[in-house]
Amino acid sequence: MQVTKMASLRWGFHCGSWVPTQAEWALAAQCVQPEEKERIGRFVFKKDAKSAMVGRLLLRKAIADTLHIPYNDIRLARTEKGKPYLTNPVPANFARFNLNISHQGDWAVLAAEPTRQVGVDVMKIELSRGNKSVTEFLDTFQRQFTVQEMRTIKAPLTEKGQLAMFYRHWCLKESYVKALGIGIGFTLQRLDFCINTHELSTQTIVQDTQVLVDNESDESWIFEETCLDQDHCVVTACKCDEQCNRKETTGHSPCHPFVVQTINTLLSGAQIQSGEDIQYWEKFCEKLDQPTGR
């Protein structure tokens, strides 16, 4: 089937509420590449294994649905920095097809673009384990943020507000480096984000945040910011260059709300790649849900 047009994708899956049945976990394990199944099986906690499994299913579902590559033929690999990419040949008009996933807290998310570089990051708004106070927590990240950013992060009057602003900035930075595929090693303080709309909600998508890279404004980026629920913020970063439609970087780009997927939708159309592994389910059941103390 010839693919002539593809829409931007924004998908989310609430891993926190998914309690896999034996049939669901077994089928999911059969529908990912064997090396990914093995990697997922090495996670110590169920929470992390579920998120990783959903992430792979999101990738495969998005590729199968948009590019119409037969499910069994989809081959995914990772860059040296860990960004997933499709190794299959694609139609010439989708040579720049790009997608990215993120999972943290209770959510796994995917963003895909037909022509633009894209990165996505989701974070749960909570105080990390081992920190006695929000002030102590924020101070440990001084080197990742500019003076202006840290001032904005600490501006809210409540600790909850400060945490929300911190994770929003973190998602902005992570979505940027994930879109470029450069990962660990990039000095995050090189990025200076200017927040224009200070409140995020589940009902709106903010697109007016601006970025300075090495103290110079870079208007080729647009950042879509929203909340998936009251405890999770998510940012999608998209970059346009000369080959992209420049109108999309003017601040009037169409909004792309996240569409919540279920395990049934992720597995619909999936094709089995390996035989059933009863021990894989048994080992999953033996895992703790998550680290104690959470």
Side-chain angles (χ1 to χ4, degrees):
M1 179 183 296
Q2 184 177 6
V3 185
T4 58
K5 188 176 182 180
M6 172 197 157
S8 301
L9 294 183
R10 304 289 184 267
W11 288 354
F13 185 100
H14 195 271
C15 301
S17 60
W18 180 39
V19 181
T21 64
Q22 181 176 350
E24 288 172 346
W25 191 251
L27 180 56
Q30 290 177 279
C31 293
V32 298
Q33 291 170 211
E35 65 272 20
E36 290 297 339
K37 172 188 169 184
E38 181 181 351
R39 184 184 67 85
I40 293 166
R42 291 198 295 266
F43 281 102
V44 176
F45 300 106
K46 287 181 181 177
K47 179 179 185 294
D48 299 321
K50 287 194 303 178
S51 296
M53 182 69 79
V54 168
R56 304 316 289 183
L57 293 175
L58 283 166
L59 288 169
R60 300 187 72 84
K61 175 73 171 173
I63 292 167
D65 283 5
T66 57
L67 299 182
H68 301 288
I69 297 174
Y71 199 93
N72 275 351
D73 292 341
I74 296 172
R75 289 294 174 264
L76 293 162
R78 297 173 183 270
T79 66
E80 291 183 0
K81 301 296 185 179
K83 185 175 182 178
Y85 69 94
L86 181 66
T87 65
N88 302 71
V90 298
N93 53 326
F94 285 103
R96 294 163 55 80
F97 172 77
N98 202 236
L99 77 173
N100 195 225
I101 58 170
S102 175
H103 44 79
Q104 204 275 333
D106 296 328
W107 286 88
V109 295
L110 171 141
E113 287 289 327
T115 60
R116 302 188 294 180
Q117 286 179 276
V118 66
V120 66
D121 198 61
V122 61
M123 291 297 293
K124 185 173 184 178
I125 303 168
E126 63 179 352
L127 186 63
S128 297
R129 297 174 66 209
N131 289 282
K132 297 179 181 179
S133 68
V134 171
T135 299
E136 179 187 70
F137 172 69
L138 296 180
D139 286 345
T140 63
F141 288 92
Q142 291 279 359
R143 293 185 177 182
Q144 277 72 47
F145 297 95
T146 66
V147 173
Q148 173 195 282
E149 288 175 328
M150 191 56 72
R151 187 181 301 119
T152 302
I153 289 169
K154 293 184 175 181
L157 299 178
T158 66
E159 290 190 339
K160 178 73 172 181
Q162 291 178 8
L163 280 175
M165 191 60 78
F166 165 82
Y167 282 113
R168 182 178 172 184
H169 276 78
W170 188 262
C171 284
L172 284 163
K173 289 178 183 270
E174 284 294 306
S175 65
Y176 176 95
V177 298
K178 290 178 71 178
L180 293 180
I182 49 182
I184 297 172
F186 184 88
T187 303
L188 293 181
Q189 206 172 53
R190 291 175 57 193
L191 305 175
D192 190 2
F193 284 94
C194 179
I195 302 291
N196 291 301
T197 301
H198 286 263
E199 296 291 333
L200 296 182
S201 76
T202 59
Q203 305 300 315
T204 59
I205 299 174
V206 170
Q207 298 185 357
D208 59 359
T209 293
Q210 298 168 304
V211 64
L212 279 74
V213 183
D214 297 330
N215 297 316
E216 293 188 8
S217 178
D218 189 343
E219 296 182 357
S220 66
W221 288 89
I222 186 164
F223 300 92
E224 303 172 6
E225 303 178 77
T226 190
C227 291
L228 297 172
D229 56 32
Q230 64 179 1
D231 295 321
H232 294 78
C233 60
V234 61
V235 176
T236 305
C238 294
K239 178 177 175 59
C240 280
D241 59 23
E242 291 78 5
Q243 298 181 48
C244 293
N245 183 350
R246 299 298 299 173
K247 291 182 179 179
E248 294 184 354
T249 62
T250 62
H252 302 286
S253 180
C255 293
H256 304 297
F258 278 83
V259 179
V260 177
Q261 306 293 311
T262 66
I263 192 60
N264 289 334
T265 58
L266 290 188
L267 292 174
S268 65
Q271 295 178 346
I272 291 174
Q273 309 213 22
S274 60
E276 186 173 0
D277 185 348
I278 298 299
Q279 287 188 337
Y280 197 74
W281 165 252
E282 293 173 347
K283 290 179 180 179
F284 174 77
C285 292
E286 292 170 359
K287 301 177 189 288
L288 294 176
D289 286 333
Q290 60 185 6
T292 56
R294 287 192 178 182

